[in-house]
Amino acid sequence: MRIKVLMELMLVPSILFAMTGCGSEENTETSVKSEEAESAEVAAAEEKEEAVEEMATQEEVEEAVDPDEMFTRFMEEKNIQLKARDVQFDMQNNLDQKFAIVGNASLDTYYNYGFSNLEQSHFAVSVEDEGAGYADRWVLYFDRSKFSNLYETLKKGDTYIAAAAVIPKAQYEDGQDALALGVEFEILGGEPAVSNEAGSVVQAAEEYKSQKGLDLVAQDVLFDMQNHLDKEFLISGTASLDTYYNYGFNALEKTHFAVGVWDESTGGKWTVYFDRKEFAELFETLKQTEEYVTITGIIPSSLYEDGQGELAKGLDISIGTGY
């Protein structure tokens, strides 16, 4: 009897342990499931919140860069009633009247009609007018001193702007192109163009510029030629022989050969004239193939003519990147 009681007493802890163990496993499993459910709810809430924030941000961006609304606001703030299209086909009746234009803007070299003598005091900006829903090109002339910040911005690349302009009666000429003085502007958006030249090419140009003590590059000269005559500057890019002789350089063919260079700083083609005797080796090289070159160029005041474009004499040259 005593043995039976002892055995029963010994069984009690075992039963209690077993019951406690089962309860612990059940509690653990329940706790894990609860934590998983809670995590899922938190994740879902976070995703929903992120989606809402993303939509709000997108709406803000779309609202911020709406060109029509920004252009309308620009005209209202400047108290301008006329758009470029209103003036373009009725110039004589809208002389000395301020009008607005919006579109992609870039530096230009076009000076003509009553605006042909402005290069020294004004830089030229080509604007593709989008105010009427499709593009028409205007050239606006901005004062170099007053609008130097716009000039520096456009040197970095095309920029989307709104501008106020006027065609002064004193400068208007019958039959002229879409030309006007720029009197105000506002940058509406768009990132300036970024050069995609290879690092070795950029490094070669910079080292050459440093070695030759050049402070100017072709871009500095192209859009301000009259103020940079007789000054040495860097021209760099892919070069090949050319046949273009014009303006004050027209008579050089017998003594100089022409080299066309797609310059990196301007994205345009320069024609550089090299002395046939001094640069005979360069002539033979370019007869065989195109080459990447860095050049010291100059526009002599004795050869310069208004509106000539990218023409210069070559004083020195280095071929290849050296890397």
Side-chain angles (χ1 to χ4, degrees):
M1 185 70 176
R2 290 178 62 189
I3 294 174
K4 184 177 180 181
V5 171
L6 288 172
M7 289 181 66
E8 288 177 354
L9 291 173
M10 291 173 64
L11 286 171
V12 171
S14 300
I15 294 170
L16 290 174
F17 176 79
M19 291 176 65
T20 304
C22 290
S24 177
E25 290 177 2
E26 289 177 1
N27 291 339
T28 302
E29 185 178 351
T30 302
S31 176
V32 169
K33 288 182 178 179
S34 177
E35 290 177 2
E36 290 178 350
E38 186 177 345
S39 298
E41 289 177 2
V42 171
E46 290 178 350
E47 288 180 5
K48 186 176 181 180
E49 186 177 347
E50 289 176 0
V52 171
E53 290 178 355
E54 186 176 347
M55 288 179 64
T57 302
Q58 186 174 353
E59 289 175 358
E60 289 175 2
V61 170
E62 289 175 354
E63 182 179 353
V65 298
D66 185 338
D68 293 333
E69 289 185 11
M70 297 183 78
F71 184 45
T72 299
R73 176 179 55 77
F74 175 82
M75 292 186 66
E76 290 174 351
E77 289 178 354
K78 306 302 180 183
N79 193 28
I80 300 173
Q81 281 74 46
L82 297 172
K83 294 182 180 180
R85 299 287 292 182
D86 299 322
V87 175
Q88 185 173 358
F89 302 106
D90 190 13
M91 285 189 183
Q92 290 193 10
N93 289 316
N94 287 292
L95 299 178
D96 295 325
Q97 299 296 313
K98 190 182 291 187
F99 64 91
I101 183 171
V102 63
N104 198 52
S106 59
L107 290 175
D108 208 312
T109 60
Y110 186 70
Y111 295 84
N112 209 336
Y113 296 95
F115 302 85
S116 60
N117 63 342
L118 293 183
E119 185 175 359
Q120 192 163 13
S121 58
H122 292 68
F123 60 94
V125 177
S126 174
V127 183
E128 294 181 358
D129 175 30
E130 297 178 2
Y134 53 93
D136 265 311
R137 178 177 176 269
W138 279 76
V139 178
L140 308 182
Y141 302 97
F142 287 88
D143 185 278
R144 291 187 183 278
S145 300
K146 186 176 181 181
F147 297 101
S148 58
N149 56 338
L150 175 61
Y151 181 72
E152 293 301 322
T153 297
L154 292 177
K155 280 173 65 176
K156 299 175 184 177
D158 295 0
T159 303
Y160 196 79
I161 70 169
V166 65
I167 303 176
K169 183 181 293 186
Q171 287 172 295
Y172 172 77
E173 291 185 10
D174 290 344
Q176 73 166 51
D177 298 322
L179 311 175
L181 289 181
V183 294
E184 293 182 86
F185 80 94
E186 182 177 321
I187 295 176
L188 299 186
E191 293 295 328
V194 178
S195 172
N196 61 357
E197 295 294 336
S200 60
V201 168
V202 174
Q203 187 173 352
E206 286 300 318
E207 289 196 358
Y208 178 89
K209 183 181 174 184
S210 176
Q211 290 170 3
K212 302 300 179 180
L214 301 176
D215 296 320
L216 301 170
V217 298
Q219 186 188 52
D220 299 320
V221 176
L222 176 60
F223 304 111
D224 192 10
M225 281 191 181
Q226 290 190 7
N227 291 315
H228 291 99
L229 300 178
D230 299 318
K231 296 180 181 179
E232 297 180 1
F233 62 95
L234 172 70
I235 304 171
S236 59
T238 302
S240 59
L241 291 177
D242 208 315
T243 59
Y244 185 69
Y245 294 84
N246 208 336
Y247 294 92
F249 301 82
N250 193 44
L252 294 183
E253 187 171 2
K254 190 171 184 179
T255 57
H256 292 68
F257 61 92
V259 176
V261 184
W262 289 98
D263 178 67
E264 298 162 347
S265 67
T266 65
K269 181 184 177 184
W270 281 76
T271 304
V272 187
Y273 302 95
F274 288 91
D275 185 278
R276 290 187 181 276
K277 292 181 180 179
E278 185 179 354
F279 295 95
E281 185 177 344
L282 170 64
F283 181 73
E284 294 301 321
T285 298
L286 294 180
K287 278 171 65 176
Q288 304 301 319
T289 183
E290 294 182 344
E291 292 283 358
Y292 175 82
V293 299
T294 43
I295 296 170
T296 300
I298 191 170
I299 302 175
S301 54
S302 59
L303 299 179
Y304 173 77
E305 293 184 11
D306 288 346
Q308 70 168 42
E310 298 100 314
L311 307 178
K313 288 188 72 173
L315 304 179
D316 184 79
I317 188 168
S318 175
I319 297 178
T321 63
Y323 297 94

